[in-house]
Amino acid sequence: MSKETQIEIKVLTSLSQIPETEWDRCACPEAVGRAPFDPFTTYRFLKALEDSQSVGPGTGWTPHYLQAKRGDDTIGVAPLYGKSHSQGEYIFDHNFAQAYENSGGRYYPKLQMAVPHTPATGRRLLVRPEHQEIAQSALVQAAVKLAAENDLSSLHITFCTGDEAEAGAQMGLMPRRSQQFHWINNGYRNFDDFLASLSSRKRKNIRKERRQAQNFGGEFEVLTGDEIEPHHWDAFWVFYQDTGARKWGTPYLTRLFFDEAQAHLRRDMLLVLAKYEGRYLAGALNFIGQDTLFGRYWGCTEDFPCLHFELCYYQAIDFAIAQGLQRVEAGAQGAHKLARGYLPVATHSLHWFGDAGFSQAVARYLEAERDAVDDEINVLTSYGPFKTVTREEQQ
């Protein structure tokens, strides 16, 4: 290989070891005068996780960011972490871990190329478009080599794009398919226009839920950018802690993360709060991408009928329609989203195991799982809330 094509890989233990412009030139080259496709691999988001100690020592997420350089030119980067557990990933591998350790192996630590605590699809091999093929290959090879040389059980690239899943499979990684629920904007002019696309029963149910939620006796605040102020995070932190304690035992994000969000991320965020008698009692946090709204966190201190659906799903749809966004990703799990206009879609991940025998067993499992996921998506879609279009109407 000539010197002109040689690629050097650096492993960075902190984003402070690379300039922000250099990282973002790979992570979001489309974000010139506009929002990135998603904010989660931007320098500002990942640095907020790091600076707030939401990743790092004691969290089970140890940064090993990859930087691919050709001469003095950075052509690719990747958010890579050493993991001592499987929390905060949302592509569940607990069965892999149990089988691996039952066979006498040590599953943890492992390597995870992902955005911590964030089940949102996006690029994980962050490469400059003009170097895509060679930089993607270099990053994958470097991650596999890092795992192998350190005798780690595995490498996992989670919530990658479909194109990356195909490219990774060609490089010898094992593709896995999962599913989420997303709302798709079919050119709706307003919420009533969306409702008109639903079956009569589902349409009536959503209207009933919105009336119940909006009659809780208080008001909603829908905030973005500079409208979000520090005292809003004081309120939301209480909601986030409550949900985190119930779902995960310990919240993944620290209180400091929301201060970092106020300083560096508030233009990427939509915060919807419910206020009753002068105090906040519930909230939903979303992140804003170029054409997608990403629902992330919800919490409350008091229960009111349908308030969760209103803040998390219906307010998100309202915002997406008003801003001309093409979809709302409502996060992991939740078949109850189907009745509210969110349809199942496939999500993707890639996996590598150092043990050849175990790798073959996983490959067989993933093949069967992919078929099962595809069947589930088809069945769930058939039970969707939208009107059935007859052949005559199509013609």
Side-chain angles (χ1 to χ4, degrees):
M1 183 180 294
S2 68
K3 291 184 178 180
E4 288 74 26
T5 59
Q6 284 181 343
I7 296 178
E8 176 191 8
I9 297 291
K10 291 188 173 182
V11 180
L12 312 177
T13 56
S14 171
L15 281 179
S16 61
Q17 296 169 339
I18 182 173
E20 181 173 359
T21 53
E22 216 166 309
W23 179 277
D24 280 350
R25 193 179 179 195
C26 299
C28 50
E30 74 283 355
V32 178
R34 58 191 310 194
F37 290 138
D38 72 78
F40 301 119
T41 54
T42 62
Y43 188 97
R44 60 186 177 273
F45 183 88
L46 296 173
K47 191 69 159 53
L49 290 176
E50 189 180 316
D51 289 348
S52 67
Q53 299 178 358
S54 299
V55 301
T59 68
W61 291 85
T62 303
H64 297 292
Y65 312 107
L66 298 182
Q67 179 185 18
K69 299 191 71 174
R70 176 180 276 171
D72 295 329
D73 204 11
T74 297
I75 63 172
V77 295
L80 185 67
Y81 299 85
K83 290 297 307 292
S84 60
H85 53 63
S86 292
Q87 298 169 14
E89 297 171 5
Y90 304 96
I91 298 292
F92 302 112
D93 65 347
H94 304 292
N95 52 346
F96 296 163
Q98 183 176 6
Y100 199 87
E101 296 191 359
N102 286 346
S103 65
R106 186 182 65 160
Y107 193 72
Y108 305 105
K110 60 178 183 175
L111 284 182
Q112 195 87 14
M113 191 179 292
V115 177
H117 323 310
T118 307
T121 292
R123 291 166 57 241
R124 298 294 176 259
L125 302 169
L126 311 175
V127 302
R128 287 167 47 191
E130 64 270 28
H131 301 286
Q132 179 170 308
E133 187 174 345
I134 191 170
Q136 282 186 338
S137 177
L139 290 170
V140 169
Q141 290 181 50
V144 169
K145 182 179 179 183
L146 188 64
E149 289 183 345
N150 287 277
D151 198 27
L152 304 183
S153 68
S154 51
L155 163 70
H156 310 267
I157 305 176
T158 46
F159 291 101
C160 59
T161 67
D163 289 343
E164 286 177 327
E166 290 183 15
Q170 292 176 1
M171 296 180 210
L173 304 182
M174 293 181 288
R176 187 178 190 184
R177 196 142 53 238
S178 306
Q179 69 98 18
Q180 285 184 340
F181 292 91
H182 296 177
W183 177 84
I184 307 300
N185 186 354
N186 289 317
Y188 302 120
R189 294 164 295 177
N190 49 46
F191 197 90
D192 282 340
D193 197 21
F194 157 62
L195 287 180
S197 69
L198 305 181
S199 67
S200 175
R201 185 168 63 88
K202 299 300 185 184
R203 182 167 60 248
K204 290 177 181 178
N205 184 64
I206 289 176
R207 282 180 173 151
K208 178 181 177 182
E209 289 182 345
R210 295 208 79 176
R211 281 195 303 271
Q212 286 182 298
Q214 293 170 0
N215 289 333
F216 79 105
E219 59 184 332
F220 300 126
E221 292 185 5
V222 181
L223 309 167
T224 60
D226 292 338
E227 297 169 337
I228 304 175
E229 298 181 4
H231 72 274
H232 294 126
W233 296 122
D234 292 334
F236 190 79
W237 171 245
V238 176
F239 310 144
Y240 174 73
Q241 279 186 298
D242 178 71
T243 300
R246 284 186 288 106
K247 282 191 173 183
W248 315 303
T250 303
Y252 295 146
L253 302 175
T254 66
R255 175 62 182 86
L256 184 55
F257 173 82
F258 297 100
D259 293 334
E260 293 292 326
Q262 173 67 21
H264 304 294
L265 293 165
R266 64 185 184 276
R267 300 188 192 283
D268 300 301
M269 304 172 103
L270 167 70
L271 184 61
V272 184
L273 297 169
K275 195 173 188 178
Y276 180 75
E277 296 183 347
R279 55 191 169 81
Y280 295 110
L281 53 82
L285 177 60
N286 307 265
F287 285 83
I288 306 168
Q290 193 173 105
D291 62 7
T292 303
L293 185 68
F294 301 90
R296 288 304 301 115
Y297 301 108
W298 142 268
C300 66
T301 54
E302 295 182 41
D303 289 322
F304 286 85
C306 301
L307 198 59
H308 171 252
F309 300 145
E310 176 66 25
L311 265 61
C312 292
Y313 307 139
Y314 303 143
Q315 288 284 336
I317 291 173
D318 274 338
F319 183 85
I321 292 173
Q323 299 298 317
L325 302 179
Q326 295 305 302
R327 69 175 59 219
V328 178
E329 293 194 15
Q333 302 176 300
H336 61 277
K337 298 167 186 172
L338 185 68
R340 290 157 185 95
Y342 291 72
L343 293 178
V345 299
T347 57
H348 304 276
S349 57
L350 292 162
H351 306 267
W352 173 90
F353 291 89
D355 184 281
F358 192 82
S359 183
Q360 290 173 3
V362 170
R364 291 191 294 270
Y365 171 84
L366 293 182
E367 183 176 0
E369 184 187 50
R370 285 193 296 272
D371 291 339
V373 168
D374 288 343
D375 289 343
E376 182 180 22
I377 289 174
N378 290 332
V379 170
L380 287 171
T381 300
S382 71
Y383 284 99
F386 293 89
K387 292 178 180 177
T388 301
V389 179
T390 67
R391 180 169 299 180
E392 289 77 12
E393 288 172 324
Q394 289 177 330
Q395 293 174 343

